[in-house]
Amino acid sequence: MTETSIYRQLGIDPKKASVREIFGKIVDNDTPHAFVNMKRDPDFPELFFTKHPDGDGSKFLQRLLHVEETGEIEAIQGAVDDAFEMNFGDIAASGFVSGKVVITQILEFNGAYVEKEAIMRQIAIRVAELLDFYRKNGFDLTYFMGGETADLPNQTSSVIYCADFYARTLESNIITGENIAPGDKIYGFASYGQAAWEPQYNFGLMSNGATQGRQYLMSEEYNRKYPYLVGYGKPFKGRFKVADPFPDAPEFTMSQALLSPTRNWSLIIKKIIDKLKQRGIFDQLHGISMNTGGGATKIAHVGQGITYRKRMPEPPPLFQLIKEESKENWKHMFESFNCGVGIDAVGEDTLDFSLALEEVAEEIQIELFDLGRCEGNRGQENEVILETPYGTFDNY
C-alpha cells in the first residue's frame, strides 16, 4: 500500500488539512462541530447566518473536452449543478433549508482558447432553470445577484466556475453536531442511481476526484489534440475516448459517466428535515455530512470525540473503473471519493428516525444504507473506521 494517495500526488489535499490549520484560528464561527461555519446574527439574535463559496473543481475541463469532441455545448450547463450544490448541499447539511439564500457566481476565462459568450449563455440558461427548480421545491427565498466575470488569460488556460452562497435561518433550524453521541446510528444516501426528478442515471462522482478520474480514464491522445486542457504538467494518462461506451452501461459514454452532475442534495436534506419536523422528531437528527472533499471520511468534520464506524457498500462501477485504471488502493479511494454514498445522516437509534429516512428514500427513489453507528473515543478529535468489501481501514 502506497503512503501517499494519487490524489495527493496530483497536488490535491482531499481533507484540506493545511487549509484548516492555517485559517482555522482566524475564522469567525459559533458552531465548531457543525458541518459548515456559521454565526449568530448580531442584528437579529434569533437568526444564524453562513456564507459558503465553492465550485465545480476541475470538472469543467471534462466538460470542455466533451464539447470539443462532440459539439454538445449543452454539456457546459452541468457545471452550474456542480457549483451550486457543492454550496447548497453543504449549508443544507447544517440546516439552512429555509430562510433567505443569496447566490453569486465567479467566472474566470481565457478567451484565447474557449468560446466565452457561448459558455456564458449555457451558464445563464442553467442558472435560471435551477433557480426555478429550487423555488418550486420550497426554497422560495432564493435570489441570484450576478457576480464577477473576469478575463484572466495569464492565470487560467480555460475556465474556472465558482459560486458563493449566503444564507440565514432561525436558530431552531440549525444542526450543530454538538449532540452526536456514542450509540447514534449512521445512515447513507446513494450518490448514484436516478432520483425521482433526475432526467437520467447518475454515476455518482459528484465534484470531488474529477482530476483523478479524468486523467486516468481519458485518452493520452488528447494531450496533443487539446494542450490547453492539460494544465501544468498533469496530462491525460488513460485509454478511453470521450464517446467510448461505459463498460457497465453501454447506453452511456465514458464522458457522460464522468459528467454526471452533483445530485441536488439540498433538496434531499430539506425533505429529510421536513419529514422529521412533521413527525416532531427533528431533535433526533444530530448531524449530516455531504461526502465531497474527504469522501467517505468527510463525516469526521462533524461532532467531537466520536469514532464513526461505517460499513461501506460495494462502490458502483465508475469508482471501480477509476480504481482499476489508476492503480490506486482502496483505502485512498475511500478518502478521495464518496464511493457511492453522497450524504451521511447521524441520528438517534429509534424506529421513528429510521422509518422517516426510509420514507424519504422511497419518495426520492434513492437507496438508503444502514452504515453503522457512532462510538466514543478517548480524544477530542474524531476518527473514522471504514469496514469495506476490501478490508477495514482506519487512521483517518
Side-chain angles (χ1 to χ4, degrees):
M1 182 179 292
T2 59
E3 292 296 323
T4 305
S5 70
I6 288 174
Y7 213 41
R8 290 181 185 273
Q9 292 172 28
L10 292 171
I12 303 166
D13 178 2
K15 301 176 99 171
K16 299 185 178 178
S18 60
V19 175
R20 294 175 183 276
E21 178 186 354
I22 293 170
F23 294 111
K25 293 180 181 179
I26 62 172
V27 169
D28 287 317
N29 181 23
D30 289 338
T31 56
H33 308 305
F35 192 68
V36 297
N37 301 327
M38 48 183 149
K39 288 286 292 182
R40 187 183 298 277
D41 194 318
D43 299 318
F44 305 96
E46 73 278 12
L47 297 173
F48 270 65
F49 68 88
T50 189
K51 195 168 186 290
H52 195 285
D54 209 340
D56 72 331
S58 70
K59 208 168 170 183
F60 214 115
L61 293 177
Q62 182 65 34
R63 298 191 183 282
L64 293 171
L65 176 60
H66 186 96
V67 173
E68 292 275 22
E69 287 291 290
T70 68
E72 297 170 354
I73 188 66
E74 297 80 11
I76 295 298
Q77 294 184 24
V80 184
D81 295 69
D82 290 323
F84 274 30
E85 276 303 323
M86 289 291 282
N87 287 285
F88 219 161
D90 274 9
I91 65 173
S94 285
F96 290 89
V97 297
S98 59
K100 180 170 64 177
V101 179
V102 180
I103 306 170
T104 56
Q105 68 179 18
I106 300 174
L107 268 165
E108 299 173 350
F109 284 99
N110 186 329
Y113 296 112
V114 301
E115 297 182 22
K116 177 180 173 181
E117 291 187 1
I119 290 172
M120 288 194 297
R121 289 192 182 97
Q122 294 303 314
I123 295 290
I125 289 170
R126 190 55 182 159
V127 167
E129 290 176 349
L130 270 182
L131 290 173
D132 184 60
F133 172 84
Y134 290 136
R135 290 164 183 161
K136 286 180 177 177
N137 282 282
F139 297 96
D140 50 345
L141 296 177
T142 300
Y143 307 97
F144 178 71
M145 300 192 70
E148 167 70 358
T149 301
D151 294 302
L152 300 174
N154 288 335
Q155 292 97 320
T156 179
S157 60
S158 56
V159 183
I160 299 173
Y161 182 63
C162 297
D164 186 285
F165 278 52
Y166 168 83
R168 194 171 68 178
T169 194
L170 290 169
E171 181 178 6
S172 58
N173 294 326
I174 66 171
I175 304 168
T176 65
E178 297 285 351
N179 49 353
I180 296 176
D184 282 355
K185 290 293 294 292
I186 311 168
Y187 296 89
F189 284 79
S191 63
Y192 60 95
Q194 186 172 357
W197 59 87
E198 290 177 335
Q200 63 184 24
Y201 184 88
N202 193 313
F203 285 79
L205 185 63
M206 292 167 50
S207 289
N208 281 89
T211 299
Q212 185 173 337
R214 182 185 72 254
Q215 285 192 274
Y216 283 90
L217 294 186
M218 291 292 97
S219 172
E220 292 179 317
E221 77 170 45
Y222 296 137
N223 296 321
R224 299 182 297 276
K225 199 171 181 181
Y226 308 112
Y228 81 97
L229 295 178
V230 172
Y232 300 96
K234 295 182 174 63
F236 296 107
K237 302 176 181 179
R239 59 189 178 90
F240 297 100
K241 304 288 186 59
V242 162
D244 285 350
F246 188 81
D248 290 84
E251 66 273 28
F252 294 95
T253 67
M254 291 296 300
S255 186
Q256 286 173 327
L258 287 169
L259 291 180
S260 288
T262 303
R263 178 158 284 154
N264 302 107
W265 294 112
S266 56
L267 175 57
I268 294 172
I269 294 170
K270 178 173 173 54
K271 287 181 177 293
I272 292 170
I273 291 174
D274 288 349
K275 179 78 68 176
L276 295 173
K277 286 184 175 181
Q278 289 166 10
R279 295 189 170 202
I281 57 171
F282 177 55
D283 62 329
Q284 293 188 19
L285 175 63
H286 295 168
I288 295 178
S289 167
M290 183 172 162
N291 299 330
T292 51
T297 73
K298 186 64 175 280
I299 195 171
H301 297 301
V302 185
Q304 183 180 32
I306 298 295
T307 295
Y308 295 99
R309 186 178 292 274
K310 297 167 60 176
R311 298 183 302 270
M312 297 299 296
E314 184 82 20
L318 179 58
F319 301 98
Q320 300 273 358
L321 187 61
I322 293 172
K323 192 265 185 225
E324 293 168 5
E325 297 296 318
S326 67
K327 304 296 189 296
E328 182 61 283
N329 64 59
W330 276 114
K331 178 174 182 176
H332 290 146
M333 284 293 297
F334 281 105
E335 182 183 40
S336 300
F337 297 87
N338 71 73
C339 285
V341 182
I343 62 170
D344 295 344
V346 181
E348 294 181 17
D349 185 6
T350 67
L351 180 60
D352 284 344
F353 185 75
S354 63
L355 287 176
L357 296 189
E358 288 172 9
E359 286 185 13
V360 172
E362 185 175 355
E363 290 169 9
I364 65 177
Q365 299 173 24
I366 290 300
E367 190 168 0
L368 176 70
F369 304 104
D370 181 344
L371 296 179
R373 65 178 62 248
C374 300
E375 301 173 355
N377 66 48
R378 296 180 180 179
Q380 293 299 302
E381 298 296 323
N382 297 325
E383 63 176 341
V384 179
I385 299 174
L386 301 179
E387 299 173 355
T388 82
Y390 316 102
T392 297
F393 306 120
D394 55 14
N395 295 321
Y396 287 120

